[in-house]
Amino acid sequence: MFPLFVLKLVGRVQAWKCGCNECDLQVEFCDLLMLEQVEMFNEQKTAQIAAFFLGKTQEKRMPHLKLTKLLYLADREAVRVLGLSMTGDHLVAMPYGPVLTKTLDLMRGSIESAPGGWDDLISGIENYEVSVRKKLNVHEMDKLSQAEIDVLESVWEQFGQMDQWEISEWTHRNCSEWENPQGSSWPISYYSVARAVGFDDESAIAIAERFDEQQYIDNFFSAL
């Protein structure tokens, strides 16, 4: 059964196709409701998170494998501290550990970057490294709250001095939501992340349902 917000979203799209004045009012009402409830994958915020970590290095660059691990661990820590994902990305288990799948696709150039998104701030992979195109200070990271920046500072303090192989090995040992995909990849649920970072079953279900709502919305719009 679809959750209530999906039924409302379907009603919104049907009302938009109708075109009458009464339905136009319904469109405006439901648009506001959706904006309050839903936050899908946020490319601009994810790019700012990447720029934050790259800006911490003297060279403003690092191995792309290390950056993928820092981004995953930042989202994982946000689940632990804030009870939510900062990026809204999908999680997958890969041989070198867990990753954010859409972010990895952007890093590899497998999907097109949106205007003002990843490619505006972060370079493509060259010699297995990425660099920041435009260094931002904290005040310019307008997609990030202070609580989220505090999460990033904590992650950098713990993992910033590790190389990519040390971080990868750390995720293998300490991220119980990750299982070796034996050369392939498979999804990691936000429920398993929430349980791994210490939430009880009821709270982990609520966190997972919040992300499932985001997926429903994402998939619905993709099908239009």
Side-chain angles (χ1 to χ4, degrees):
M1 180 178 179
F2 286 100
L4 177 60
F5 77 92
V6 173
L7 297 178
K8 288 182 178 178
L9 178 61
V10 171
R12 179 179 70 80
V13 173
Q14 290 172 342
W16 175 77
K17 289 179 179 178
C18 175
C20 70
N21 291 334
E22 182 179 354
C23 287
D24 284 343
L25 294 175
Q26 181 70 15
V27 169
E28 294 175 2
F29 172 76
C30 287
D31 275 349
L32 177 61
L33 184 63
M34 290 305 101
L35 288 173
E36 290 178 348
Q37 289 192 16
V38 178
E39 181 182 2
M40 293 180 287
F41 173 63
N42 192 323
E43 182 180 336
Q44 289 184 327
K45 179 187 277 190
T46 304
Q48 289 186 7
I49 295 170
F52 174 91
F53 287 130
L54 289 165
K56 288 287 192 179
T57 68
Q58 184 175 356
E59 305 83 3
K60 313 308 177 194
R61 64 188 306 113
M62 70 175 65
H64 75 281
L65 177 60
K66 177 173 179 175
L67 182 58
T68 62
K69 299 309 164 205
L70 288 172
L71 291 167
Y72 178 86
L73 290 169
D75 235 14
R76 186 180 195 265
E77 182 68 0
V79 170
R80 188 185 74 81
V81 175
L82 306 175
L84 52 81
S85 161
M86 289 189 289
T87 67
D89 206 345
H90 299 266
L91 315 177
V92 294
M94 299 187 73
Y96 289 116
V99 300
L100 309 179
T101 179
K102 289 185 179 179
T103 304
L104 181 60
D105 286 340
L106 285 167
M107 196 179 298
R108 290 172 168 174
S110 303
I111 58 176
E112 186 176 353
S113 175
W118 185 268
D119 286 351
D120 282 19
L121 288 181
I122 311 299
S123 75
I125 297 173
E126 184 176 353
N127 295 324
Y128 303 103
E129 291 187 329
V130 291
S131 60
V132 63
R133 297 186 193 274
K134 178 184 176 184
K135 188 178 184 300
L136 302 178
N137 62 48
V138 171
H139 301 294
E140 293 175 298
M141 296 180 180
D142 56 347
K143 302 299 180 183
L144 296 167
S145 68
Q146 185 58 54
E148 290 170 329
I149 290 172
D150 291 344
V151 167
L152 300 183
E153 292 284 6
S154 174
V155 169
W156 180 257
E157 182 178 353
Q158 184 174 0
F159 300 105
Q161 302 310 309
M162 295 184 186
D163 67 24
Q164 65 268 40
W165 308 115
E166 290 171 325
I167 297 181
S168 178
E169 182 60 29
W170 190 95
T171 63
H172 291 187
R173 294 194 312 267
N174 296 281
C175 295
S176 59
E177 70 273 17
W178 177 84
E179 296 181 22
N180 192 334
Q182 304 298 329
S184 182
S185 64
W186 53 54
I188 297 173
S189 70
Y190 274 93
Y191 169 81
S192 63
V193 173
R195 290 291 284 158
V197 298
F199 284 95
D200 61 26
D201 189 64
E202 182 178 356
S203 299
I205 289 172
I207 289 170
E209 287 179 345
R210 191 176 308 139
F211 186 76
D212 286 343
E213 291 173 359
Q214 296 172 10
Q215 289 182 299
Y216 275 122
I217 294 290
D218 201 1
N219 293 338
F220 184 86
F221 274 115
S222 297
L224 292 180

